[in-house]
Amino acid sequence: MPILVIADLHLDMWLHAGRDPLIALSPNLLSALDGLIIAGDLANKPKVRWPHMIRHLVQHVPAERIHVLPGNHDFYDFILDGEDRLAEICAAEGANFAQKSSIIIGDTRVLSCTLWTDFALHGDPVRAMMVAQRDMNDYRYIRSDGAGFKRIRPSDTSFLHADHQTWLEGQLSTPFPGRTVVVTHHCPHPDLIGERRGDLDAAYGSNLLPMIERFQPDLWLFGHTHWRVEAIVGRTLVKNVSLAYPGQVPVEEEEGILLRGLLTEVTA
Ligand SMILES: [Fe+2]
């Protein structure tokens, strides 16, 4: 029951550069996958680009085995409160939309949500939100239909963070006999956010260590930062499975990077 989780595929940018990152993987592996889970940042401008991107993925993996979780980029030139539309695009292509989804594949339960952040990483969320609003593209390129098509604010994404965290805690509280894998776009570990950006760190990750220690999922895979780091927290391996933009990855390392999020069957 192999499942492959890839974050930050940024497939629009790869195809624009005339490249297909998935050809680094063997066709045999791709055709044997029981699930391909995109952990956010499939493409900017989703209303226009997601149908093409999903059709491209379907050249490698059957549509019904593809699950797409939106990252921040998947809302660019779009609306934060437009997930119904994203779900429709996935459904029209025969693929699955994976926001707040519990995906059961064989003995594995994959719990997926974007996560966003609480801006509390350095203990001053008011300041962190002010800096994010000023400096982050998310608050320039994403709008809210419900707020008169105005640009979103950090309070909008921190509200979603609280909602996603509550959903995740509810799911993790539900016993499951097999392996539990959490997939988020944003980082749940204070030491795995990669490059330090001062006040902006809090827009990349949150400190969810108490939650990880409480529930001890087998794995927590995430992306967003393009820093492929990992750490063990109790029984949980927390691991970044980002690809990145074309040109950010040495060609000879593409296969190994794409395979960081390969889950094979658990044998008791
Ligand atoms: Fe991202």
Side-chain angles (χ1 to χ4, degrees):
M1 290 282 172
I3 303 165
L4 181 60
V5 183
I6 305 172
D8 304 85
L9 194 54
H10 295 289
L11 189 57
D12 51 344
M13 300 191 195
W14 284 80
L15 297 181
H16 184 72
R19 303 208 40 217
D20 176 0
L22 293 179
I23 61 166
L25 298 174
S26 93
N28 286 346
L29 170 84
L30 287 166
S31 63
L33 288 179
D34 291 295
L36 172 65
I37 299 173
I38 304 299
D41 291 359
L42 174 62
N44 296 5
K45 302 188 182 186
K47 241 169 59 173
V48 179
R49 294 184 184 168
W50 265 31
H52 302 289
M53 299 304 124
I54 295 169
R55 276 172 223 157
H56 184 87
L57 295 176
V58 171
Q59 293 176 18
H60 296 287
V61 176
E64 66 275 14
R65 297 183 199 169
I66 296 172
H67 303 262
V68 186
L69 168 69
N72 54 318
H73 278 258
D74 300 295
F75 295 98
Y76 280 20
D77 288 332
F78 187 53
I79 46 174
L80 189 61
D81 43 357
E83 289 190 342
D84 290 355
R85 183 76 193 104
L86 297 182
E88 283 170 14
I89 292 170
C90 288
E93 302 302 328
N96 306 282
F97 185 60
Q99 184 67 283
K100 295 205 285 187
S101 286
S102 175
I103 307 160
I104 312 277
I105 301 174
D107 60 3
T108 299
R109 167 176 68 162
V110 179
L111 303 173
S112 62
C113 59
T114 303
L115 192 60
W116 298 99
T117 74
D118 57 11
F119 296 97
L121 199 62
H122 295 326
D124 189 349
V126 173
R127 178 173 170 75
M129 285 199 226
M130 191 262 293
V131 172
Q133 166 114 37
R134 188 189 65 200
D135 295 343
M136 294 246 348
N137 283 337
D138 294 7
Y139 305 101
R140 226 166 273 152
Y141 297 138
I142 305 174
R143 292 181 180 263
S144 166
D145 194 24
F149 211 63
K150 287 203 182 78
R151 290 171 178 172
I152 61 162
R153 302 174 66 84
S155 55
D156 297 316
T157 55
S158 81
F159 177 85
L160 287 179
H161 169 82
D163 176 62
H164 291 184
Q165 186 179 351
T166 300
W167 174 82
L168 208 41
E169 285 174 348
Q171 295 291 317
L172 289 168
S173 302
T174 309
F176 180 74
R179 170 175 57 173
T180 294
V181 179
V182 176
V183 171
T184 59
H185 184 62
H186 292 77
C187 175
H189 191 303
D191 300 330
L192 297 183
I193 56 166
E195 180 190 10
R196 294 287 161 161
R197 302 166 178 89
D199 288 316
L200 276 179
D201 289 346
Y204 288 85
S206 309
N207 180 2
L208 300 190
L209 290 177
M211 182 177 165
I212 299 170
E213 283 159 1
R214 179 177 164 206
F215 294 106
Q216 297 289 307
D218 298 276
L219 261 175
W220 189 313
L221 305 177
F222 70 100
H224 190 47
T225 61
H226 301 188
W227 284 74
R228 287 170 290 277
V229 286
E230 58 190 76
I232 305 263
V233 180
R235 286 195 324 111
T236 305
L237 172 61
V238 183
K239 186 177 190 180
N240 184 301
V241 293
S242 297
L243 177 61
Y245 304 125
Q248 281 188 324
V249 182
V251 173
E252 65 277 12
E253 291 178 27
E254 284 171 13
E255 181 183 18
I257 289 170
L258 288 166
L259 291 176
R260 281 176 62 80
L262 181 64
L263 315 178
T264 47
E265 196 163 6
V266 179
T267 43

